[in-house]
Amino acid sequence: MNLPLLRFVTLLFLSLASEVTSQDTLVNLKDLSTEFNYEIRYATPNNFIGETLYDCAECLLRPEVAEALLQANQYFCEKGYRIKIYDCYRPLDVQKKMWAKVPRATYVGNPYGNGSVHNKGAAIDITLETLDGCYVEMGSDYDYFGKEAHIDNYNFSKEILTNRKLLFEGMRQFGFNTIRTEWWHFSYQKNWSYKTLNTPLPCEQ
Ligand SMILES: C[C@@H](N)C(=O)N[C@H](C)C(=O)O
Ligand SMILES: [Zn+2]
C-alpha cells in the first residue's frame, strides 16, 4: 500500500474508532454539578417493580444531554426551584425487567422494539422541588401508570397545572421532548444517532 493511502486508511480507522468510543461515553451528573437533588428510585425497592434494579444511585447521561439539563436546572433555580432526579441512563437488561412487569409501550419503552431513550443515556425522569427542598405537587406519584400522570389531563387544581407548565416549558426550552402519558419523562430531542447501551452502572465494589 502506498504511503498516502496508508495514512488515509489509518486516519479513517482512528476517526471511526473514536466515534465508537464517544458514542458510548456517559458522564456522571454529580461530577458536573452539586445543584441537583436525587431520589433514584430504581436503586431502592421503592419502585413499580418492588425490587432494587441498580447497584448504586448514579445519574449517567450523554455529555450533551447533561449539559442541556444543567442549563434547564439553572433556569429553574432562577425561578426558585431545582430539579430532583428519579432516573437517567438505564441499562437494556433493566428495561427488559420493566417490560416483563408492564408490557405497555405507553408507560415502558419496548426493549425488543426501539427500546427506551433512557437506554441511550438521553432521557431523564425528574420532578421539581423548591430550593429549600419543599415538595412540588405534580398530580401523581412518579411511575403512577394511569391518567393522573397524563400531560393532556387538565382535571387538576390551578396549582398543579401551574407546576406542570413550569416543568414542561422549562424542559422544552432546553431541547427536551415530553411524552403524553408521563409528566416526569423527558427525552433529549437529538438522540437518533445514539446507541442503545447495556453497560451496568459504574458502582464501586
Ligand atoms: C418506566 C418509566 N419511568 C419510563 O421511563 N417510561 C418510558 C416510556 C421509557 O421506558 O422510556
Ligand atoms: Zn422515563
Side-chain angles (χ1 to χ4, degrees), residues 56-155:
C56 55
E58 302 294 346
C59 170
L60 298 178
L61 291 171
R62 297 273 317 192
E64 52 277 50
V65 180
E67 178 54 35
L69 197 61
L70 288 176
Q71 289 180 21
N73 202 34
Q74 181 60 33
Y75 168 87
F76 293 126
C77 284
E78 283 161 18
K79 296 181 180 309
Y81 298 88
R82 69 179 167 216
I83 291 175
K84 181 161 87 169
I85 307 270
Y86 289 127
D87 194 30
C88 300
Y89 162 66
R90 182 189 302 158
L92 188 64
D93 282 347
V94 173
Q95 194 72 27
K96 289 180 180 171
K97 284 190 185 167
M98 293 181 171
W99 182 256
K101 180 89 176 183
V102 179
R104 292 161 73 192
T106 39
Y107 295 117
V108 174
N110 182 348
Y112 306 102
N114 286 336
S116 164
V117 185
H118 284 283
N119 308 146
K120 299 174 168 193
I124 57 262
D125 293 341
I126 59 170
T127 190
L128 293 177
E129 61 180 24
T130 62
L131 286 176
D132 47 7
C134 288
Y135 179 74
V136 172
E137 180 61 61
M138 292 291 177
S140 84
D141 194 5
Y142 169 53
D143 276 353
Y144 173 81
F145 300 142
K147 68 178 188 322
E148 283 79 1
H150 295 185
I151 72 169
D152 58 356
N153 180 353
Y154 298 99
N155 197 16

Side-chain angles (χ1 to χ4, degrees), residues 14-26:
L14 287 175
S15 84
L16 287 175
S18 85
E19 179 66 12
V20 169
T21 313
S22 68
Q23 278 277 316
D24 291 357
T25 304
L26 300 178

